[in-house]
Amino acid sequence: MTPAIPPAIAALTGDMKAWRHHLHAHPETAFEEHATADFIAGLLGDFGVEVHRGLAGTGVVGVLAGKRTGNRAIGLRADIDALHVTEATGLPHASVHAGRMHACGHDGHTAMLLGAAKHLAATRDFAGRLILIFQPAEENEGGGKVMVEEGLFDRFPVDAVYGMHNWPGLEEGHFALRTGPIMAGYDVFEITLSGKGGHAAMPHLGTDQLVAAGHLMTALQSIVARSVNPTEAAVVSVTQMHGGDTWNVLPASVVLRGTVRTFTKAVQDLIETRITELSRSIAQGFGAEATIHYERRYPATVNSPEEAAVAARVASAVVGADRVDTNCPQTMGAEDFAFMLGVKPGAYVQLGAGPGRGGCMLHNPGYDFNDALLGVGASYWVGLVHDQMAG
């Protein structure tokens, strides 16, 4: 089936492509998206959308009232930040900011929502209030959480909120979603093992924090294998180990850092407890001490049943039911749209981007958003509004 892109949306694909390429060439990272926010706010104002700024510093919220009578309100969210990545695409619209790149497609997400906003502002063929959320700092810094904490849904109440992310590796133009947890919660930990240290030729006179760290690193892998119910999913990964400065000294301290991915609070609680217990007991066994810092970053992204059904229905209307997977695999990646879904019902969908340019996946220096998705994504946003705000 050819995607059902309304002619009015198809006519905007040139604009969306130009906006996307501009944003791609001028990437800004978490909470620094000042020019990006100016660009978005300027376009929304030109469309006739009521513009609000300042939430989470660089966030932009557009409010659009329909011409029909109705009290329903929904939110549509796009993330706007880039990554600290040096681009290697060689494209004409490549980043002009060294060390910064739209390597996750947020430029495309923004362009698709702007396209939908332009069409909906011109027609206003819906009932109620549409809240257009352009969120900063999705990558690692929790801009979604900050927007919620600063009163996003108090100032702009919604009945439901929807999010979307392009997904390389999923067939181009297909949608994927599921009810319940779709993306994992994301935590980080830092364990510092401290002791006496000493001369490498006389280890018996001190404590060897590197040996203790090696045992601890191995033991941490037993948490998922032996403490978590086999029917649950979780990942514990040690990603950094820092200790020592020279060949013949046993360092007085060694630091391990890593990440934890879970789908439920019960498993999250269990893993935090086991990391703490293992760190302290293994350190003690080697005569060292353990200091543990555990930080809960993003909760799991959880789709509510009714809104997931709405998303599936609208996606099917755009691309055909055979191109919508309503029981897609969960992913251990994290997404701070979870904070919005934690306070409002809603749904998050993946939009297939195909194999990726040159096989490059998200966060790769060679990645570029697939412009063929622009009309599909904008049509999905417009479809949601027409489905949920018909009046």
Side-chain angles (χ1 to χ4, degrees):
M1 171 183 170
T2 302
I5 300 175
I9 298 297
L12 292 174
T13 55
D15 286 342
M16 288 189 282
K17 184 176 179 179
W19 301 333
R20 207 278 292 180
H21 287 195
H22 170 83
L23 292 167
H24 189 94
H26 302 88
E28 296 175 301
T29 51
F31 298 121
E32 297 178 353
E33 310 94 332
H34 301 288
T36 301
D38 288 344
F39 181 77
I40 293 166
L43 285 175
L44 292 177
D46 290 344
F47 303 159
V49 176
E50 180 184 312
V51 178
H52 300 263
R53 302 184 63 174
L55 280 174
T58 48
V60 179
V61 177
V63 179
L64 189 62
K67 64 183 180 182
R68 299 186 193 176
T69 302
N71 296 319
R72 186 161 175 79
I74 66 170
L76 308 180
R77 173 269 200 174
D79 36 19
I80 68 174
D81 58 319
L83 285 153
H84 288 283
V85 172
T86 298
E87 183 161 354
T89 64
L91 293 168
H93 56 274
S95 171
V96 299
H97 296 159
R100 287 169 172 78
M101 176 190 175
H102 271 295
C104 202
H106 297 183
D107 50 342
H109 303 165
T110 300
M112 290 187 291
L113 188 54
L114 285 170
K118 184 172 185 177
H119 172 72
L120 290 165
T123 60
R124 297 183 185 259
D125 189 20
F126 61 93
R129 292 206 324 161
L130 176 62
I131 309 301
L132 303 159
I133 304 166
F134 294 88
Q135 180 218 302
E138 189 279 326
E139 299 287 358
N140 297 312
E141 301 304 328
K145 178 183 181 183
V146 177
M147 290 192 87
V148 171
E149 289 176 343
E150 292 186 357
L152 172 64
F153 296 127
D154 298 321
R155 291 179 57 186
F156 310 102
V158 298
D159 299 295
V161 63
Y162 295 88
M164 175 169 52
H165 203 294
N166 81 102
W167 211 253
L170 177 64
E171 194 167 349
E172 182 181 308
H174 287 224
F175 282 85
L177 69 152
R178 63 182 294 125
T179 296
I182 184 171
M183 298 188 75
Y186 162 49
D187 300 341
V188 296
F189 61 85
E190 179 179 282
I191 305 163
T192 302
L193 300 175
S194 304
K196 188 175 181 181
H199 199 296
M202 294 172 277
H204 61 292
L205 298 179
T207 56
D208 192 336
Q209 282 61 243
L210 283 169
V211 171
H215 281 265
L216 177 56
M217 190 182 304
T218 300
L220 292 175
Q221 299 310 306
S222 73
I223 295 175
V224 174
R226 288 297 177 264
S227 297
V228 175
N229 187 322
T231 62
E232 300 273 8
V235 175
V236 176
S237 293
V238 177
T239 57
Q240 299 180 46
M241 182 175 181
H242 302 278
D245 298 299
T246 190
W247 285 270
N248 62 347
V249 176
L250 301 176
S253 67
V254 175
V255 176
L256 297 178
R257 297 190 183 110
T259 180
V260 174
R261 310 289 173 137
T262 57
F263 288 108
T264 67
K265 186 177 184 300
V267 174
Q268 183 184 40
D269 292 343
L270 170 65
I271 290 177
E272 181 179 0
T273 298
R274 292 296 291 135
I275 286 176
T276 300
E277 292 171 344
L278 284 169
S279 299
R280 289 175 177 166
S281 61
I282 289 174
Q284 183 180 27
F286 285 91
E289 294 183 355
T291 303
I292 303 99
H293 173 72
Y294 192 97
E295 182 179 341
R296 301 193 178 199
R297 286 285 183 92
Y298 294 2
T301 302
V302 182
N303 287 341
S304 49
E306 182 176 341
E307 284 68 31
V310 169
R313 179 171 67 243
V314 172
S316 296
V318 175
V319 299
D322 60 327
R323 296 186 178 187
V324 180
D325 182 357
T326 58
N327 191 31
C328 71
Q330 296 171 313
T331 175
M332 287 296 177
E335 162 65 73
D336 83 340
F337 185 60
F339 290 105
M340 297 186 189
L341 291 179
V343 294
K344 292 292 179 180
Y348 179 86
V349 302
Q350 300 165 353
L351 174 56
R357 179 180 175 274
C360 295
M361 305 299 282
L362 300 175
H363 293 206
N364 187 294
Y367 162 88
D368 188 44
F369 180 86
N370 184 351
D371 286 332
L373 305 180
L374 293 169
V376 177
S379 297
Y380 171 75
W381 287 137
V382 171
L384 274 177
V385 173
H386 290 164
D387 182 279
Q388 290 295 284
M389 305 177 74

